Coordinates of all heavy atoms in Angstrom, one line a residue:
K156 N 6.6 8.9 13.5 CA 5.8 7.7 13.8 C 4.8 7.3 12.8 O 4.6 6.2 12.4 CB 5.1 7.9 15.2 CG 4.2 6.9 15.6 CD 3.7 6.9 17.0 CE 2.6 7.9 17.3 NZ 2.1 7.9 18.6
D238 N -2.2 8.1 14.6 CA -1.6 6.8 14.9 C -2.7 5.7 15.2 O -2.5 4.7 15.8 CB -0.6 6.8 16.1 CG -1.4 7.3 17.4 OD1 -2.6 7.5 17.3 OD2 -0.7 7.3 18.5
I361 N -1.2 3.4 18.0 CA 0.2 2.8 17.9 C 1.2 3.7 18.4 O 1.4 4.8 17.8 CB 0.5 2.4 16.4 CG1 -0.5 1.4 16.0 CG2 1.9 1.9 16.2 CD1 -0.4 1.1 14.4
N362 N 1.8 3.4 19.6 CA 2.8 4.2 20.1 C 4.3 3.5 20.1 O 5.2 4.2 20.2 CB 2.5 4.6 21.5 CG 1.2 5.3 21.7 OD1 1.1 6.2 20.8 ND2 0.3 5.0 22.6
Ligands
LIG704 MG1 -0.9 7.4 20.5

Side-chain angles (χ1 to χ4, degrees):
K156 174 167 81 171
D238 63 0
I361 297 171
N362 298 320

